[in-house]
Amino acid sequence: MSRHVLVTGASRGIGAAIAEHFIALGDQVVALSRSGSAPKGCAKSLTVDVAKSEEVSSAIKSAVAEFGPLDVCVVNAGITRDGLALRMSDEQWREVLSTDLDGAFYTARAALASMVRARQGSIIFIGSVSPFIGVPGQANYAAAKAGLVGLARSLAKEVASRAITVNVVAPGLVDTNMTSDLGPASDQLADMIPMGRIAQPAEIAGVVGFLASNHARYITGAVIPVDGGLALGL
Ligand code: NDP
């Protein structure tokens, strides 16, 4: 049966691959991003800044009114504004926290309002290995992504009795716009990855698809690294 799937940050990169994964399964995918662009086959694309609480809740309300209760919510939208902490501006800190953590909370809260009524659903946050390995220049990003783990695990306990699962997928390095300006550093980073290469977005999407499937109904509060072994053992 076709599911109602919402994906934030679906205009490109990992979010677009996740949207395409669900579209290929015949699901109705609603895509959210600031640009409003979305992969072909999405049921709807909405222009939303996830850092704005009212925009997120009205977009999700309109998606639920049009396509019914949400079955799956993938909280993927994210940005980086890297810089060493000593030189990091308040704006760099706030922008990342607002999008990557506040935005994730606004999205999950609005999605849960629909899922709790329906007594089923899956929320999947796209985290990162950054908080587990520590990355110089990413204090803002690592803090936001660490926050997602606490958010997901608390929500998982709040809604487990309603058969709603809440999990985090933590990618390592993935070939998207976010990592495209790494240049030669990308090869150096690849050398640190036991599998010797960075991931393609579809490799993240496949794990998200699994967590949203009936095979994963007993998995909740988990953090699943998809990193070629980068954060292995942490
Ligand atoms: P991209 O920069 O390629 O895509 C980011 C997506 O988020 C875009 O669709 C963008 O759309 C959207 N977005 C950004 N800010 C907002 C906002 N305020 N409101 C709504 N949408 C927004 O990045 P990736 O695909 O690489 O990253 C996706 C997720 O995966 C992020 O959470 C990132 O932290 C995480 N991740 C990525 C890794 C990597 O190596 N690439 C590694 C680990 C985690 P638009 O600009 O149109 O708004």
Side-chain angles (χ1 to χ4, degrees):
M1 212 181 73
S2 170
R3 297 169 296 179
H4 179 188
V5 179
L6 187 118
V7 184
T8 69
S11 65
R12 59 175 186 268
I14 295 170
I18 292 168
E20 282 160 358
H21 178 95
F22 287 108
I23 290 165
L25 293 174
D27 294 322
Q28 289 188 301
V29 177
V30 175
L32 268 56
S33 68
R34 287 166 308 181
S35 62
S37 47
K40 202 163 159 261
C42 281
K44 190 149 198 133
S45 175
L46 298 166
T47 303
V48 171
D49 180 348
V50 295
K52 301 195 171 134
S53 173
E54 303 76 25
E55 285 189 25
V56 175
S57 62
S58 81
I60 293 181
K61 271 186 198 147
S62 79
V64 170
E66 190 167 350
F67 300 104
L70 263 182
D71 297 295
V72 181
C73 177
V74 186
V75 185
N76 164 79
I79 57 167
T80 51
R81 295 286 180 267
D82 293 357
L84 292 175
L86 272 178
R87 286 191 224 114
M88 186 175 283
S89 66
D90 293 356
E91 289 69 31
Q92 271 172 298
W93 173 266
R94 272 260 50 92
E95 259 191 273
V96 170
L97 270 289
S98 302
T99 301
D100 297 18
L101 187 56
D102 297 355
F105 171 66
Y106 301 149
T107 306
R109 182 179 57 185
L112 279 176
S114 162
M115 290 177 178
V116 163
R117 276 195 298 276
R119 291 186 160 266
Q120 60 97 29
S122 306
I123 295 187
I124 298 136
F125 292 99
I126 306 301
S128 167
V129 295
S130 280
F132 305 110
I133 60 177
V135 180
Q138 289 203 323
N140 49 1
Y141 182 76
K145 294 297 189 180
L148 282 187
V149 175
L151 171 61
R153 290 189 160 161
S154 302
L155 294 181
K157 286 195 173 174
E158 287 186 18
V159 297
S161 64
R162 309 293 174 102
I164 299 165
T165 62
V166 186
N167 291 292
V168 179
V169 169
L173 204 59
V174 188
D175 185 14
T176 68
N177 276 17
M178 192 177 267
T179 50
S180 62
D181 58 0
L182 290 173
S186 165
D187 290 339
Q188 276 173 10
L189 284 166
D191 287 343
M192 293 163 53
I193 300 170
M195 292 192 77
R197 64 173 180 86
I198 73 172
Q200 291 305 310
E203 295 180 295
I204 313 303
V207 178
V208 171
F210 164 70
L211 287 171
S213 75
N214 281 338
H215 298 295
R217 294 328 307 144
Y218 202 57
I219 300 177
T220 198
V223 179
I224 304 199
V226 188
D227 64 352
L230 180 60
L232 206 154
L234 295 175

